[in-house]
Amino acid sequence: MKDFRKYDIPFVGLKLGEHPFFYKLDQSFFELFEDSMIQDAQIDLNLVFDKKPGFFDIQFNLSGFLKADCDRCAEEFHLPIENRYRVIVKFNEGLVKPSSENEEILWLSQGDTHINIANHAYEFAVLSLPMQRVHPEKPNGEPGCSIIAILNPESSEAEDEMDQAVDPRWEALKKLKKK
C-alpha cells in the first residue's frame, strides 16, 4: 500500500491560528501516483494551515523545478514552478448537502480528526505546469532553446553551427533554402 500517512495533518490538537508545514515533493512523492505526469521534480511545498472557528483555510505555496522535455527541441531541461493555491475546509453537519460546484471548498465529516493533503499537493503541482513547456530565455535575452538559434538565419553563429551539424538526409532541403 502506498504511504500517504506522512501527508496527514492532525487538526484536532491544533490551536486556533496559523500553523506552517513544510514538504519536499520529489520523485518519491510523484511515484505514489499512478501514471503521474511528473516524473522527477524538486518542489518545496510551504503549507500554511490556518485554523479558524468552524473551518480551516489552507494556503499551498509551491516553488521549485521539475524536469520536462522542451516542446520545441525535445531536450530535457529544468522547468521552474512557482504557484499559490487555496483550499477552504468546512465540516458537513448533515444539515447541509455539500456542493461540488466550488472546488476550493473541501467538506469533512464531524468525526474526522485529520486531513491528508497529498492529493491536493499533487493536483496543484500538475496545475502549475504550463500548457507549452519550452526552455526559458537566457539572461541576455536570447532564446534558451537551441533549435531557435539554428532556425534563425539572421545569426551567423547559428548558420555556422548548422553547416557543421548537417544530417545528410536534410542536404536537399538545405539546397532549397539557399536558392
Side-chain angles (χ1 to χ4, degrees):
M1 181 166 172
K2 298 178 181 174
D3 188 21
F4 288 105
R5 287 177 291 176
K6 62 181 167 182
Y7 303 100
D8 283 347
I9 297 176
F11 55 80
V12 171
L14 295 177
K15 295 180 181 179
L16 294 178
E18 291 185 356
H19 304 276
F21 293 90
F22 180 77
Y23 299 95
K24 284 264 188 207
L25 308 182
D26 55 9
Q27 184 174 358
S28 63
F29 172 77
F30 292 104
E31 286 174 352
L32 295 173
F33 298 91
E34 205 170 299
D35 299 326
S36 175
M37 290 180 67
I38 301 172
Q39 299 302 318
D40 192 6
Q42 295 295 324
I43 300 174
D44 294 329
L45 170 60
N46 291 312
L47 187 133
V48 179
F49 189 94
D50 190 4
K51 186 173 181 180
K52 298 184 181 200
F55 72 98
F56 310 132
D57 185 0
I58 306 174
Q59 297 287 332
F60 290 79
N61 302 310
L62 291 99
S63 64
F65 70 89
L66 59 93
K67 289 185 182 175
D69 292 330
C70 179
D71 289 340
R72 290 183 185 147
C73 66
E75 289 179 6
E76 190 175 84
F77 71 103
H78 291 267
L79 177 68
I81 296 291
E82 184 134 358
N83 232 324
R84 292 174 174 242
Y85 297 94
R86 179 180 182 201
V87 174
I88 303 293
V89 181
K90 293 185 176 183
F91 292 97
N92 182 7
E93 299 173 4
L95 303 173
V96 178
K97 187 174 182 178
S99 168
S100 61
E101 291 175 15
N102 190 344
E103 294 182 12
E104 289 183 357
I105 297 178
L106 175 66
W107 292 90
L108 297 178
S109 67
Q110 286 291 345
D112 289 337
T113 60
H114 66 278
I115 183 170
N116 188 291
I117 56 96
N119 284 325
H120 283 86
Y122 174 75
E123 288 176 12
F124 293 149
V126 170
L127 286 173
S128 296
L129 294 173
M131 292 291 282
Q132 187 177 25
R133 298 173 197 128
V134 294
H135 285 98
E137 285 188 0
K138 294 179 181 176
N140 61 1
E142 292 181 24
C145 191
S146 60
I147 196 77
I148 299 297
I150 291 171
L151 293 176
N152 186 358
E154 297 169 2
S155 168
S156 61
E157 183 181 310
E159 190 70 32
D160 293 341
E161 186 177 321
M162 192 166 119
D163 287 340
Q164 293 173 0
V166 173
D167 187 337
R169 296 174 291 178
W170 298 100
E171 192 63 40
L173 290 174
K174 185 178 175 187
K175 288 177 186 176
L176 289 173
K177 178 183 170 194
K178 291 187 177 184
K179 287 185 180 181

